[in-house]
Amino acid sequence: MSIRQYNLGSIVKPGFNPLGAQTTTVLYNLFSWGNNSSAQLGLGNTTYYSSPKQVGSLTDWQNIACGGISAISTKTDGTIWTWGNNFEGVLGLGNTTNYSSPKQIGALTTWLNIASANYFRLAVKTDGTLWSWGRNNSGKLGLGNTTFYSSPKQVGSLTNWLNIAGGYVHSAAVKTDGTLWTWGGNSSGQLGLNNATDYSSPKQVGALTTWLNVFVKVSSTFAIKTDGTLWAWGRNDIGQLGLGDLANRLSPVQVGLLTTWSKVAPSENSAIATKTDGTIWSWGQNSNGELGLGNTTDYSSPKQIGAVTTWNNIAAGNFFFIAQG
């Protein structure tokens, strides 16, 4: 399935920001298309569509995220909505019933940031608290146990969570103080804690306070620091960490020496990334041509895709990538 927003303009409103500034809220319609076997398109049915169909008539959708065969979205009023397959209570509605149209999770109007992963969800509120729900194998919800939850549960009591990311069996987050935290499954060292031990509650990765954002997928983790450097760790059997070899890493290792990395979108066994100069780079498995390099050769270090310098947003699926430029 695919879900996409279409820009209708923007408004400025107060919002949570570590610097205390106002945030600009962009107004969007919501459209979806593709496989709809579990009503994951949110259109009130299970019909497949090969072209975009608008989800309802509202124009206040904001952030969207898809995981498995369900979806979640926030609105500009701070509410959070979900639909599709509800395996293990991933929709957060207090049950395991599938829903074919968007349903609001609770009545709160303070949701800010969301992350959708393999049958579980993470979310941050405007007060900086972190919440999770859904499947909890390996303790990836960060709640100190492996119990599954069908409604949002607060992760600890801290109020300084900011950027979040969820993978298959692990999670990661950056706090407003620039520290990096991980939890969940760790069989390939993807938590970056210099071991392969699972943890069911957040653990700090090192002592640095210069982390900016974090990105995860399957058993690998990537993070960008405030100086623009890119770091990677975890599983690396196909060169998916971009470090020039096939050795797993148990703690963060810098990818090259450049200081101009902007965003990363990791897939199953490969990744793409953009730099501040607008170029786009890829590495890892390439059996389906997913690296966009005109061949099917695997690469264990970043390779530039073409010569265009206007790439912006990027997204990863299972063995494919999408980018705006």
Side-chain angles (χ1 to χ4, degrees), residues 121-293:
R121 303 288 185 263
L122 303 170
V124 173
K125 291 184 180 179
T126 53
D127 63 2
T129 56
L130 174 63
W131 299 72
S132 64
W133 62 94
R135 193 175 190 180
N136 195 24
N137 56 310
S138 301
K140 60 191 177 185
L141 296 186
L143 298 170
N145 56 45
T146 54
T147 303
F148 295 13
Y149 293 93
S150 60
S151 59
K153 301 295 179 182
Q154 186 173 351
V155 179
S157 59
L158 298 179
T159 59
N160 60 347
W161 298 101
L162 184 59
N163 294 320
I164 49 178
Y168 274 28
V169 294
H170 77 295
S171 302
V174 174
K175 292 183 178 179
T176 56
D177 61 5
T179 57
L180 175 64
W181 300 71
T182 59
W183 59 95
N186 194 28
S187 60
S188 298
Q190 61 261 45
L191 298 188
L193 301 170
N194 206 33
N195 59 45
T197 303
D198 294 352
Y199 293 93
S200 61
S201 58
K203 301 295 180 182
Q204 186 173 352
V205 180
L208 297 178
T209 60
T210 54
W211 298 103
L212 180 64
N213 211 343
V214 63
F215 315 85
V216 306
K217 185 75 171 185
V218 192
S219 299
S220 303
T221 307
F222 298 87
I224 294 176
K225 290 185 179 179
T226 53
D227 63 2
T229 57
L230 174 62
W231 299 71
W233 59 96
R235 184 178 175 182
N236 193 36
D237 58 317
I238 312 181
Q240 57 263 54
L241 296 185
L243 298 171
D245 57 41
L246 306 182
N248 290 356
R249 299 299 200 282
L250 301 180
S251 58
V253 177
Q254 186 174 351
V255 179
L257 300 174
L258 298 179
T259 60
T260 54
W261 296 101
S262 177
K263 301 174 185 177
V264 183
S267 183
E268 299 291 328
N269 296 306
S270 55
I272 61 171
T274 54
K275 293 183 180 178
T276 55
D277 63 3
T279 58
I280 191 169
W281 300 68
S282 63
W283 61 90
Q285 182 178 350
N286 195 27
S287 57
N288 301 289
E290 57 261 51
L291 298 188
L293 299 170

Side-chain angles (χ1 to χ4, degrees), residues 82-139:
T82 187
W83 60 95
N85 186 282
N86 199 16
F87 180 72
E88 309 291 8
V90 66
L91 298 187
L93 298 170
N95 57 45
T96 55
T97 304
N98 296 346
Y99 291 92
S100 62
S101 58
K103 300 294 180 183
Q104 185 175 352
I105 300 176
L108 297 178
T109 59
T110 55
W111 297 103
L112 175 70
N113 195 8
I114 53 176
S116 179
N118 187 35
Y119 295 111
F120 74 103
R121 303 288 185 263
L122 303 170
V124 173
K125 291 184 180 179
T126 53
D127 63 2
T129 56
L130 174 63
W131 299 72
S132 64
W133 62 94
R135 193 175 190 180
N136 195 24
N137 56 310
S138 301

